[in-house]
Amino acid sequence: MDSVNGASHSSESQSTASATQAQAQATPSISEEREEEIRAELAQNPQAVAALDQLVADRNFGQLSEEQKVESLNSFMSAPNAATATYLQGAAEVSLNPQATPSSLTPDAGTLTLDGVTYGIQNGNLLDAEGRTVGTIRNDGTVQLANEAAARSVYDNIGTRVQLTEQIGAQTRTLVDLHAADPRGRLADPNLNQEVANRVTAVIEQARREGMNMRVDTAYRTFAEQDTLYAQGRTAPGNRVTNARAGQSWHNYGVAVDLVFNDANGRPSWAETNNWDRYGEIAVAQGLEWGGNWQGFTDRPHVEYHPGFDAGDARNMMQSHRQGGLEAVWDRMGIGQVP
Ligand SMILES: [Zn+2]
């Protein structure tokens, strides 16, 4: 793939079969090019790549025109996960045969909690607590409630709980499984800078679209809370979790957040097996500094935002904080929010 000129040059002296092969390698189709771009973009998310593999291996997808394949791949990127791939397989089938009604368009079962209301899912229908059908849901994440004019996406609100499953024979396959990402409302804490909250929300949204079940662990921390944490593993029981005393952590100035993953039961998980690398990549793309990139003491759940200052500058904010509180600190960084 890396030597287009070399391939076409050497093909002159080779058999017809390998010359054709070399030519095919030298000129990928537009859908193959798009697929390769997507593979590169999602390289750190094996779960999303597996969903892409599933889509491109599908018989119906393979029969689409080049333009239709590109369109399908672009749709996949709106939420690159197994549920979207499953939906797009059904959409490919319909485009080849408009009479078809593939079951892959909608989840067989699952659960949805939207704005505090929990629905059961049965063959694409949303059921209320009494078992009445009150809306529909598709595997691309589109929700249509009967009493609402506009459709919604399950990926638009990080408070949404969604689990979509497909029944394949006796097996239940989970397509997507996301818990509410901020159950304790840490991102709404007025002591957390709004610019930071917005960027972290964008990170969580992208992670969720990619099938990563993330949640906020901690955000703003008072000086007293920081000292309690610093004592852990030193003068108090537990493992050492921070090298920062009160006033030395960006958490104390409302510009740092720790995100972790939800386990299958919706409990916070720090497990190695979680996809921390992809999380870090998404965070950096949102302009945040990721603790996983630090030398020495790495802190993979941690992201922080302090434009114009270095990671080690937190302690230098103490004086501003003493004089004018969080607003004075935020103003120094140009991210103040009082008009
Ligand atoms: Zn942290």
Side-chain angles (χ1 to χ4, degrees):
M1 292 309 276
D2 58 333
S3 176
V4 172
N5 292 336
S8 60
H9 177 75
S10 64
S11 71
E12 287 167 28
S13 59
Q14 288 168 354
S15 73
T16 311
S18 57
T20 308
Q21 198 178 35
Q23 208 167 33
Q25 280 175 2
T27 55
S29 71
I30 53 164
S31 72
E32 285 166 345
E33 275 180 2
R34 183 66 184 121
E35 185 187 329
E36 285 315 308
E37 272 173 25
I38 291 173
R39 282 187 191 283
E41 196 172 332
L42 298 175
Q44 295 294 331
N45 187 347
Q47 199 181 333
V49 171
L52 175 64
D53 289 340
Q54 174 199 323
L55 174 62
V56 299
D58 180 67
R59 189 170 49 89
N60 293 308
F61 177 87
Q63 289 174 23
L64 296 177
S65 71
E66 276 298 303
E67 288 71 18
Q68 287 173 319
K69 281 182 187 171
V70 171
E71 199 183 318
S72 184
L73 289 166
N74 288 339
S75 298
F76 174 74
M77 285 307 273
S78 67
N81 63 51
T84 308
T86 301
Y87 175 83
L88 291 171
Q89 287 171 238
E93 194 179 338
V94 171
S95 75
L96 296 165
N97 172 16
Q99 264 71 55
T101 50
S103 66
S104 60
L105 290 171
T106 56
D108 291 343
T111 184
L112 175 75
T113 304
L114 199 61
D115 297 340
V117 182
T118 297
Y119 307 93
I121 297 173
Q122 211 171 68
N123 297 321
N125 289 320
L126 294 173
L127 309 180
D128 69 9
E130 278 78 46
R132 291 175 301 222
T133 298
V134 292
T136 57
I137 184 166
R138 304 191 316 210
N139 273 330
D140 66 350
T142 303
V143 171
Q144 180 66 64
L145 290 170
N147 61 357
E148 289 183 356
R152 316 187 188 197
S153 167
V154 297
Y155 303 110
D156 284 350
N157 183 334
I158 65 168
T160 303
R161 160 86 178 113
V162 58
Q163 187 198 40
L164 306 179
T165 65
E166 286 282 314
Q167 202 65 35
I168 300 163
Q171 285 197 319
T172 303
R173 181 166 171 249
T174 300
L175 299 178
V176 71
D177 192 2
L178 304 171
H179 291 82
D182 188 18
R184 288 173 293 184
R186 304 275 197 221
L187 296 182
D189 183 344
N191 293 312
L192 184 71
N193 181 269
Q194 191 58 50
E195 175 70 22
V196 175
N198 293 346
R199 286 172 191 255
V200 169
T201 300
V203 170
I204 296 171
E205 284 175 350
Q206 180 60 25
R208 286 165 63 90
R209 284 193 286 264
E210 295 188 19
M212 293 157 62
N213 191 9
M214 299 201 74
R215 65 183 283 146
V216 178
D217 182 45
T218 58
Y220 170 70
R221 209 180 279 149
T222 65
F223 280 35
E225 286 165 343
Q226 188 68 38
D227 269 338
T228 302
L229 205 63
Y230 182 81
Q232 196 179 308
R234 293 182 173 90
T235 55
N239 297 322
R240 287 188 186 194
V241 290
T242 182
N243 285 328
R245 297 168 184 266
Q248 298 178 345
S249 164
W250 288 108
H251 284 286
N252 305 149
Y253 304 108
V255 293
V257 176
D258 297 328
L259 298 187
V260 296
F261 288 77
N262 279 302
D263 69 12
N265 299 314
R267 301 250 171 83
S269 163
W270 285 261
E272 284 289 323
T273 47
N274 292 319
N275 192 354
W276 298 102
D277 287 345
R278 180 56 180 163
Y279 157 51
E281 204 172 55
I282 294 169
V284 169
Q286 280 298 330
L288 299 170
E289 180 161 330
W290 178 47
N293 280 335
W294 292 342
Q295 304 293 318
F297 180 82
T298 59
D299 187 357
R300 293 182 302 181
H302 180 100
V303 289
E304 57 187 37
Y305 185 69
H306 35 70
F309 292 87
D310 292 329
D313 284 336
R315 66 193 68 218
N316 300 324
M317 297 293 166
M318 289 177 81
Q319 197 186 351
S320 299
H321 187 259
R322 247 191 321 269
Q323 289 167 348
L326 292 171
E327 280 297 337
V329 175
W330 296 342
D331 283 346
R332 269 183 82 183
M333 294 188 275
I335 53 173
Q337 47 204 38
V338 170

